[in-house]
mmCIF file of all heavy atoms in Angstrom:
data_model
loop_
_atom_site.group_PDB
_atom_site.id
_atom_site.type_symbol
_atom_site.label_atom_id
_atom_site.label_comp_id
_atom_site.label_asym_id
_atom_site.label_seq_id
_atom_site.Cartn_x
_atom_site.Cartn_y
_atom_site.Cartn_z
ATOM 1 N N ASN A 40 94.867 82.034 122.455
ATOM 2 C CA ASN A 40 94.105 83.183 122.014
ATOM 3 C C ASN A 40 94.736 84.392 122.672
ATOM 4 O O ASN A 40 95.245 84.391 123.729
ATOM 5 C CB ASN A 40 92.631 83.205 122.084
ATOM 6 C CG ASN A 40 92.003 83.247 123.482
ATOM 7 O OD1 ASN A 40 92.026 84.405 124.072
ATOM 8 N ND2 ASN A 40 91.843 82.131 124.059
ATOM 9 N N ALA A 42 93.619 88.346 123.626
ATOM 10 C CA ALA A 42 92.350 89.222 123.787
ATOM 11 C C ALA A 42 92.793 90.652 123.260
ATOM 12 O O ALA A 42 93.874 91.304 123.583
ATOM 13 C CB ALA A 42 91.826 89.336 125.168
ATOM 14 N N ILE A 44 89.996 92.999 123.381
ATOM 15 C CA ILE A 44 89.222 93.649 124.429
ATOM 16 C C ILE A 44 89.454 92.577 125.693
ATOM 17 O O ILE A 44 88.878 91.488 125.590
ATOM 18 C CB ILE A 44 87.665 93.781 124.052
ATOM 19 C CG1 ILE A 44 87.565 94.704 122.751
ATOM 20 C CG2 ILE A 44 87.021 94.415 125.206
ATOM 21 C CD1 ILE A 44 87.848 96.162 123.040
ATOM 22 N N LYS A 45 89.982 93.016 126.737
ATOM 23 C CA LYS A 45 90.374 92.162 127.779
ATOM 24 C C LYS A 45 89.270 91.834 128.697
ATOM 25 O O LYS A 45 88.514 92.609 129.130
ATOM 26 C CB LYS A 45 91.466 92.759 128.599
ATOM 27 C CG LYS A 45 92.685 93.317 127.783
ATOM 28 C CD LYS A 45 93.627 92.209 127.304
ATOM 29 C CE LYS A 45 94.676 92.667 126.694
ATOM 30 N NZ LYS A 45 95.539 91.598 125.872
ATOM 31 N N TYR A 46 89.318 90.501 129.131
ATOM 32 C CA TYR A 46 88.512 90.016 130.315
ATOM 33 C C TYR A 46 89.467 90.232 131.595
ATOM 34 O O TYR A 46 90.618 89.735 131.677
ATOM 35 C CB TYR A 46 88.383 88.497 130.005
ATOM 36 C CG TYR A 46 88.286 87.535 131.214
ATOM 37 C CD1 TYR A 46 87.446 87.725 132.293
ATOM 38 C CD2 TYR A 46 88.987 86.390 131.397
ATOM 39 C CE1 TYR A 46 87.219 86.881 133.407
ATOM 40 C CE2 TYR A 46 89.004 85.565 132.342
ATOM 41 C CZ TYR A 46 88.089 85.860 133.346
ATOM 42 O OH TYR A 46 87.998 84.905 134.384
ATOM 43 N N TRP A 47 88.866 90.854 132.552
ATOM 44 C CA TRP A 47 89.563 91.012 133.723
ATOM 45 C C TRP A 47 88.505 91.220 134.866
ATOM 46 O O TRP A 47 87.927 92.308 135.008
ATOM 47 C CB TRP A 47 90.494 92.225 133.769
ATOM 48 C CG TRP A 47 91.523 92.156 134.919
ATOM 49 C CD1 TRP A 47 91.478 93.067 135.939
ATOM 50 C CD2 TRP A 47 92.586 91.322 135.104
ATOM 51 N NE1 TRP A 47 92.565 92.784 136.835
ATOM 52 C CE2 TRP A 47 93.247 91.699 136.380
ATOM 53 C CE3 TRP A 47 93.108 90.189 134.348
ATOM 54 C CZ2 TRP A 47 94.367 90.948 136.864
ATOM 55 C CZ3 TRP A 47 94.158 89.516 134.885
ATOM 56 C CH2 TRP A 47 94.841 89.875 136.145
ATOM 57 N N LYS A 49 85.727 88.725 137.694
ATOM 58 C CA LYS A 49 84.615 87.743 137.676
ATOM 59 C C LYS A 49 83.466 88.309 138.562
ATOM 60 O O LYS A 49 83.731 88.797 139.588
ATOM 61 C CB LYS A 49 85.103 86.406 138.235
ATOM 62 C CG LYS A 49 86.127 85.718 137.441
ATOM 63 C CD LYS A 49 86.511 84.364 138.131
ATOM 64 C CE LYS A 49 87.703 83.606 137.455
ATOM 65 N NZ LYS A 49 89.004 84.378 137.607
ATOM 66 N N ILE A 55 83.015 80.883 137.043
ATOM 67 C CA ILE A 55 83.822 81.693 136.206
ATOM 68 C C ILE A 55 83.043 82.501 135.217
ATOM 69 O O ILE A 55 82.900 82.275 133.923
ATOM 70 C CB ILE A 55 84.930 80.917 135.396
ATOM 71 C CG1 ILE A 55 85.692 80.006 136.314
ATOM 72 C CG2 ILE A 55 85.820 81.823 134.583
ATOM 73 C CD1 ILE A 55 87.032 79.443 135.985
ATOM 74 N N SER A 61 84.447 90.024 126.226
ATOM 75 C CA SER A 61 85.709 90.221 125.735
ATOM 76 C C SER A 61 85.811 89.725 124.380
ATOM 77 O O SER A 61 84.923 89.058 123.970
ATOM 78 C CB SER A 61 86.833 89.618 126.657
ATOM 79 O OG SER A 61 86.442 88.135 126.865
ATOM 80 N N ARG A 101 89.421 72.843 138.885
ATOM 81 C CA ARG A 101 89.023 73.263 137.460
ATOM 82 C C ARG A 101 89.105 72.080 136.505
ATOM 83 O O ARG A 101 88.151 72.039 135.636
ATOM 84 C CB ARG A 101 89.847 74.419 137.046
ATOM 85 C CG ARG A 101 89.503 75.681 137.793
ATOM 86 C CD ARG A 101 90.502 76.806 137.455
ATOM 87 N NE ARG A 101 90.068 78.049 138.016
ATOM 88 C CZ ARG A 101 90.337 79.206 137.354
ATOM 89 N NH1 ARG A 101 91.162 79.307 136.341
ATOM 90 N NH2 ARG A 101 89.959 80.337 137.970
ATOM 91 N N SER A 149 97.072 78.157 129.685
ATOM 92 C CA SER A 149 95.821 77.584 130.408
ATOM 93 C C SER A 149 94.581 77.678 129.498
ATOM 94 O O SER A 149 93.809 76.681 129.465
ATOM 95 C CB SER A 149 95.588 78.208 131.700
ATOM 96 O OG SER A 149 95.024 79.527 131.537
ATOM 97 N N GLY A 177 87.220 75.729 133.173
ATOM 98 C CA GLY A 177 88.682 75.407 133.310
ATOM 99 C C GLY A 177 89.465 76.769 133.550
ATOM 100 O O GLY A 177 90.095 76.911 134.381
ATOM 101 N N SER A 178 89.027 77.703 132.630
ATOM 102 C CA SER A 178 89.774 79.016 132.671
ATOM 103 C C SER A 178 88.840 79.941 131.845
ATOM 104 O O SER A 178 88.497 79.518 130.664
ATOM 105 C CB SER A 178 91.199 78.986 132.137
ATOM 106 O OG SER A 178 91.796 80.156 132.236
ATOM 107 N N GLY A 179 88.617 81.144 132.306
ATOM 108 C CA GLY A 179 87.761 81.942 131.604
ATOM 109 C C GLY A 179 88.067 82.182 130.107
ATOM 110 O O GLY A 179 87.333 81.918 129.184
ATOM 111 N N SER A 180 89.272 82.470 129.900
ATOM 112 C CA SER A 180 89.814 82.711 128.539
ATOM 113 C C SER A 180 89.801 81.529 127.675
ATOM 114 O O SER A 180 89.794 81.572 126.464
ATOM 115 C CB SER A 180 91.264 83.443 128.547
ATOM 116 O OG SER A 180 92.129 82.642 129.378
ATOM 117 N N ALA A 181 89.713 80.287 128.277
ATOM 118 C CA ALA A 181 89.735 79.156 127.438
ATOM 119 C C ALA A 181 88.468 78.944 126.631
ATOM 120 O O ALA A 181 88.501 78.266 125.633
ATOM 121 C CB ALA A 181 89.838 77.891 128.454
ATOM 122 N N ARG A 183 87.188 81.120 124.677
ATOM 123 C CA ARG A 183 87.519 81.704 123.465
ATOM 124 C C ARG A 183 88.476 80.892 122.536
ATOM 125 O O ARG A 183 88.405 81.122 121.275
ATOM 126 C CB ARG A 183 88.175 83.186 123.678
ATOM 127 C CG ARG A 183 87.085 83.998 124.376
ATOM 128 C CD ARG A 183 87.766 85.464 124.473
ATOM 129 N NE ARG A 183 89.239 85.490 124.821
ATOM 130 C CZ ARG A 183 89.745 86.074 125.936
ATOM 131 N NH1 ARG A 183 88.935 86.864 126.698
ATOM 132 N NH2 ARG A 183 91.123 85.867 126.161
ATOM 133 N N SER A 233 96.615 85.589 137.145
ATOM 134 C CA SER A 233 95.464 86.256 136.726
ATOM 135 C C SER A 233 94.316 86.004 137.665
ATOM 136 O O SER A 233 93.468 87.027 137.926
ATOM 137 C CB SER A 233 95.117 86.033 135.253
ATOM 138 O OG SER A 233 95.736 84.996 134.680
ATOM 139 N N THR A 234 94.056 84.902 138.119
ATOM 140 C CA THR A 234 92.916 84.347 138.933
ATOM 141 C C THR A 234 92.893 85.289 140.221
ATOM 142 O O THR A 234 91.897 85.957 140.491
ATOM 143 C CB THR A 234 92.944 82.955 139.150
ATOM 144 O OG1 THR A 234 92.928 82.246 137.943
ATOM 145 C CG2 THR A 234 91.687 82.555 139.941
ATOM 146 N N MET A 237 92.853 89.342 139.448
ATOM 147 C CA MET A 237 91.485 89.898 138.919
ATOM 148 C C MET A 237 90.547 90.030 140.047
ATOM 149 O O MET A 237 89.736 90.921 140.144
ATOM 150 C CB MET A 237 90.970 89.201 137.702
ATOM 151 C CG MET A 237 90.393 87.969 137.776
ATOM 152 S SD MET A 237 89.691 87.353 136.361
ATOM 153 C CE MET A 237 90.917 86.896 135.257
ATOM 154 N N PHE A 285 93.513 98.142 130.637
ATOM 155 C CA PHE A 285 93.628 96.891 131.575
ATOM 156 C C PHE A 285 94.809 97.038 132.508
ATOM 157 O O PHE A 285 94.693 96.876 133.769
ATOM 158 C CB PHE A 285 93.792 95.569 130.651
ATOM 159 C CG PHE A 285 94.558 94.449 131.326
ATOM 160 C CD1 PHE A 285 94.013 94.030 132.654
ATOM 161 C CD2 PHE A 285 95.565 93.813 130.830
ATOM 162 C CE1 PHE A 285 94.717 92.952 133.307
ATOM 163 C CE2 PHE A 285 96.117 92.744 131.373
ATOM 164 C CZ PHE A 285 95.842 92.319 132.654
ATOM 165 N N ASP A 327 99.018 90.874 128.075
ATOM 166 C CA ASP A 327 98.232 90.230 129.165
ATOM 167 C C ASP A 327 98.871 90.267 130.573
ATOM 168 O O ASP A 327 99.700 91.230 130.808
ATOM 169 C CB ASP A 327 97.904 88.786 128.716
ATOM 170 C CG ASP A 327 96.891 88.652 127.597
ATOM 171 O OD1 ASP A 327 96.063 89.607 127.499
ATOM 172 O OD2 ASP A 327 96.690 87.536 126.961
ATOM 173 N N ALA A 328 98.610 89.342 131.327
ATOM 174 C CA ALA A 328 99.154 89.393 132.762
ATOM 175 C C ALA A 328 100.681 88.903 132.720
ATOM 176 O O ALA A 328 101.118 88.039 133.422
ATOM 177 C CB ALA A 328 98.356 88.450 133.682
HETATM 178 C C1 LIG B 13 94.763 89.180 131.046
HETATM 179 O O1 LIG B 13 91.433 83.336 131.789
HETATM 180 O O2 LIG B 13 93.710 83.263 132.898
HETATM 181 O O3 LIG B 13 94.675 87.298 129.707
HETATM 182 O O4 LIG B 13 89.414 82.644 134.357
HETATM 183 O O5 LIG B 13 90.856 83.033 136.456
HETATM 184 O O6 LIG B 13 91.510 81.285 134.620
HETATM 185 P P1 LIG B 13 90.820 82.653 134.967
HETATM 186 O O7 LIG B 13 91.688 83.854 134.270
HETATM 187 P P2 LIG B 13 92.383 83.776 132.835
HETATM 188 O O8 LIG B 13 92.456 85.324 132.574
HETATM 189 C C2 LIG B 13 92.920 86.021 131.395
HETATM 190 C C3 LIG B 13 93.302 87.396 131.646
HETATM 191 C C4 LIG B 13 93.856 88.187 130.491
HETATM 192 C C5 LIG B 13 92.911 88.853 129.503
HETATM 193 C C6 LIG B 13 92.143 87.974 128.520
HETATM 194 O O9 LIG B 13 92.633 86.858 128.090
HETATM 195 O O10 LIG B 13 91.023 88.274 128.162
#
Side-chain angles (χ1 to χ4, degrees):
N40 72 77
I44 300 292
K45 304 290 185 192
Y46 150 54
W47 194 251
K49 298 177 183 69
I55 311 198
S61 54
R101 289 174 169 204
S149 73
S178 184
S180 55
R183 299 186 313 238
S233 9
T234 306
M237 70 173 76
F285 155 50
D327 280 345

